Amino acid sequence: MVMLSRSRVVGLGLALAAAGAVLYFWPRQEPGVSEAITRQVITMARAAETKDVSGVMEGVSERFRTDSNWDKRQVRGVLTGQVLRGQWVRVFVTNLEVHEVSPSQGDFQARFIFGRSQAESVKDLAAESVLNAYLIEGTFEKEDDGVWRVVRAKYRSLNPTELL
């Protein structure tokens, strides 16, 4: 049986505290433009799946505009209607491409496939499911608070042959 003296226990505690402080304060490398935008797109998609419209909208800039001149408020209304309809929402992001424009701006393109169903049982799932798919292109910018937000976007509906 090993006996530890009080001084050894205190020394070990101080060593662990020092190691923890080093890890906590160690400089972290900020993700690159492509990784930061990819993370934000995935975060927004997951928020949509949990019907967290505010979580989705956190990734949309106050300066946001679509090619049809919709602003953030209008997109929030449409998104609320889409996400809150139905009992099940699944968002698949495919073919995501990000291109760095500058250290604080990047363009993206991705296919977003939304699945929704009000089926009460598995056997009804295929018959009662709805899929909507869109190709969305836009621009993210890193704003003054350090958060990447989409500032511009355009979309078009995809037909089933474009999903494969």
Side-chain angles (χ1 to χ4, degrees):
M1 178 184 233
V2 175
M3 297 291 290
L4 293 176
S5 67
R6 185 168 200 239
S7 61
R8 282 192 176 171
V9 171
V10 170
L12 181 60
L14 288 173
L16 289 173
V22 166
L23 289 175
Y24 181 78
F25 291 109
W26 193 267
R28 290 172 180 81
Q29 185 174 1
E30 196 169 309
V33 173
S34 181
E35 184 178 345
I37 291 172
T38 299
R39 286 180 186 181
Q40 187 66 306
V41 167
I42 291 169
T43 298
M44 293 168 75
R46 296 303 159 252
E49 285 185 336
T50 61
K51 300 184 181 190
D52 178 9
V53 175
S54 293
V56 175
M57 297 309 294
E58 285 175 16
V60 178
S61 175
E62 293 299 324
R63 301 176 290 129
F64 178 81
R65 287 282 184 265
T66 68
D67 60 336
S68 303
N69 208 29
W70 290 7
D71 63 10
K72 182 176 181 175
R73 182 184 53 77
Q74 290 166 309
V75 169
R76 180 185 195 83
V78 170
L79 184 63
T80 299
Q82 289 294 321
V83 168
L84 296 181
R85 276 193 334 205
Q87 295 176 346
W88 177 78
V89 174
R90 182 76 171 109
V91 181
F92 298 93
V93 180
T94 65
N95 301 83
L96 176 61
E97 296 177 16
V98 179
H99 302 285
E100 181 175 340
V101 174
S102 74
S104 61
Q105 184 181 35
D107 293 334
F108 77 97
Q109 175 179 306
R111 292 178 180 161
F112 292 83
I113 304 164
F114 297 85
R116 181 178 28 257
S117 177
Q118 293 194 24
E120 298 278 333
S121 68
V122 174
K123 69 178 184 167
D124 298 329
L125 186 61
E128 296 183 27
S129 295
V130 176
L131 290 179
N132 295 321
Y134 304 94
L135 176 67
I136 300 177
E137 299 176 63
T139 300
F140 273 86
E141 289 182 1
K142 186 176 182 182
E143 296 193 324
D144 292 338
D145 62 359
V147 177
W148 286 88
R149 291 188 179 91
V150 65
V151 294
R152 285 184 297 282
K154 64 181 182 177
Y155 76 96
R156 72 174 176 84
S157 295
L158 296 173
N159 64 52
T161 62
E162 294 177 286
L163 298 179
L164 302 175

